[in-house]
Amino acid sequence: MQLLVTGGAGYVGSVCTQVLLERGHAVTVIDDLSTGNREAVPAGAHFVEGDVAQVGRPVLADGEFDGVLHFAAKSLVGESVTHPHNYWQGNVVTTLSLLDAMLAAGVPRLVFSSTAATYGEPESVPITEDARTRPTNTYGATKLAIDAAITSYATAYDLAAVSLRYFNVAGSYGGFGENRVVETHLIPLVLQTALGQRPDIAVFGSDYPTADGTAVRDYVHVKDLAEAHVLALDHARPGAHDVFNLGSGEGFSVRQVIDTCREVTGREIPRWRRTGARAIRRCSWRRHAGRSTNSVGARSTRTCAASSPTHGSTRRRWATAPTPPGAPDLHPHLTRQPASGNSASRGGRCTPRRRATARPASAAADISPGGKPAPNACASSRAPR
């Protein structure tokens, strides 16, 4: 198929582009490089630099595209609260322009990279697709608005569409990984500390109802996520807009992530904890991935332990620490925590995501799974996507 990938110079978009090329698809990437990197666009993809709202229509009109995978978005939760105009304009208005351009060019399929930030504070876990959507920040609200627009276009114009909701993404693939100027995710922040680029890693909260007292999060490997987008492209049905949560169903605590990075790199990783009342009310954010597994065929096959060693871009990767085969066996201290019930009643598991199942929640140690910056968070930390 001939496909357009928006945001293909970013983290998830670049890996998805690489997977699409490996499957034999012809790929065009649009990215304004505001947060992406030109070198992250895989060889073999045609690259167009520019704002999707401005160049999307001429690009789609100039070719016979079979589908669009839409990753381009503004995604810093904290910034979305302080500068909401940029998010309503950059996310919602831009996507409406893209939908109109697809309609004009007769492009039949859309896969939208959404977020579990659309759910807000969950009433129960695991979070299923029919859970109530009550976003607690502008970022989540804009993604939910886009999902509503896509449903309208699918109903009125026979568009075949799928939205994927997820939280924390980890790992790298094919030399493509996270490489941001403003980093907010836990694993790269920990690796930056190991590299000496940060003095320490801040851990906010040490009294969660988990085995070691730190919040547990559900990570999905970026390759699994990319493959889920490809499967969603094949699943999309004319006149329907399906929404799937993505999640691995496994939880790893902040402390476990730090310990694994310390073991893999062989470096000491200083950390400090903020004591006192926790900044968030819930720490159990497990997504239910059953629907995506049954309907789309998406399965999470990689673990947090396998994500840490080669998480960053090639320039920041630990050359001496390749992803170990059979990672779970090589890291026995990364024990899987209970996968059922909620943390309040069980006192055992506080697990967010595959984007795990989903993703607005933060992967940063000082950001809550609900996407709210923790009070008194260190100045260098910002809310993640």
Side-chain angles (χ1 to χ4, degrees), residues 6-362:
T6 70
Y11 177 30
V12 180
S14 63
V15 173
C16 190
T17 298
Q18 178 63 25
V19 171
L20 290 170
L21 291 170
E22 291 174 358
R23 302 288 175 86
H25 299 293
V27 182
T28 296
V29 168
I30 294 179
D31 200 299
D32 63 4
L33 301 182
S34 58
T35 57
N37 303 281
R38 177 63 182 87
E39 61 269 26
V41 179
H46 175 59
F47 177 63
V48 178
E49 182 177 351
D51 189 323
V52 174
Q54 298 175 353
V55 304
R57 184 177 289 268
V59 167
L60 289 174
D62 194 40
E64 296 182 357
F65 286 87
D66 299 294
V68 173
L69 294 95
H70 185 32
F71 295 94
K74 293 185 177 299
S75 58
L76 294 177
V77 171
E79 182 185 67
S80 78
V81 175
T82 57
H83 298 88
H85 168 78
N86 294 338
Y87 282 70
W88 289 107
Q89 183 71 37
N91 291 352
V92 177
V93 175
T94 293
T95 302
L96 289 175
S97 298
L98 177 63
L99 288 169
D100 287 342
M102 290 178 63
L103 183 63
V107 181
R109 300 178 187 86
L110 171 67
V111 176
F112 175 51
S113 187
S114 188
T115 173
T118 55
Y119 295 113
E121 295 286 351
E123 296 177 340
S124 63
V125 292
I127 304 173
T128 57
E129 287 84 355
D130 59 357
R132 188 173 180 179
T133 49
R134 296 183 299 180
T136 58
N137 53 68
T138 305
Y139 168 65
T142 61
K143 289 284 191 170
L144 183 60
I146 292 171
D147 276 335
I150 292 173
T151 297
S152 297
Y153 274 66
T155 301
Y157 307 121
D158 222 25
L159 176 67
V162 174
S163 290
L164 300 178
R165 293 174 177 172
Y166 51 97
F167 272 118
N168 307 308
V169 187
S172 63
Y173 175 72
F176 303 100
E178 289 196 76
N179 187 11
R180 302 184 180 93
V181 174
V182 178
E183 187 52 74
T184 59
H185 294 165
L186 176 60
I187 294 177
L189 287 174
V190 173
L191 292 178
Q192 286 176 7
T193 305
L195 286 166
Q197 297 174 359
R198 299 171 59 88
D200 51 37
I201 182 71
V203 179
F204 286 82
S206 59
D207 59 343
Y208 291 106
T210 60
D212 61 27
T214 62
V216 175
R217 300 197 166 116
D218 185 340
Y219 295 88
V220 64
H221 195 281
V222 67
K223 175 70 181 308
D224 288 335
L225 186 59
E227 290 174 345
H229 281 77
V230 176
L231 289 170
L233 190 68
D234 295 333
H235 171 83
R237 302 165 297 163
H241 175 212
D242 291 318
V243 176
F244 297 105
N245 292 343
L246 299 178
S248 67
E250 298 179 28
F252 298 98
S253 72
V254 172
R255 181 173 179 177
Q256 286 178 310
V257 170
I258 295 173
D259 288 345
T260 297
C261 290
R262 181 182 290 118
E263 177 184 335
V264 169
T265 63
R267 301 290 186 90
E268 182 59 32
I269 301 176
R271 69 173 185 263
W272 64 278
R273 291 187 177 185
R274 177 183 182 273
T275 58
R278 292 197 302 273
I280 56 176
R281 293 186 291 111
R282 290 177 180 266
C283 63
S284 184
W285 284 75
R286 181 163 52 88
R287 254 67 58 201
H288 190 282
R291 185 163 183 253
S292 60
T293 299
N294 296 333
S295 301
V296 181
R299 293 179 182 276
S300 179
T301 62
R302 299 164 181 84
T303 70
C304 177
S307 301
S308 301
T310 57
H311 186 80
S313 63
T314 43
R315 80 178 74 171
R316 294 186 298 166
R317 183 181 304 161
W318 289 93
T320 59
T323 303
D329 295 330
L330 294 178
H331 300 280
H333 64 284
L334 278 180
T335 55
R336 297 184 181 182
Q337 303 197 24
S340 61
N342 66 49
S343 60
S345 61
R346 291 186 328 281
R349 166 184 177 113
C350 185
T351 171
R353 167 188 204 309
R354 171 183 195 175
R355 334 175 274 8
T357 276
R359 167 181 175 173
S362 164

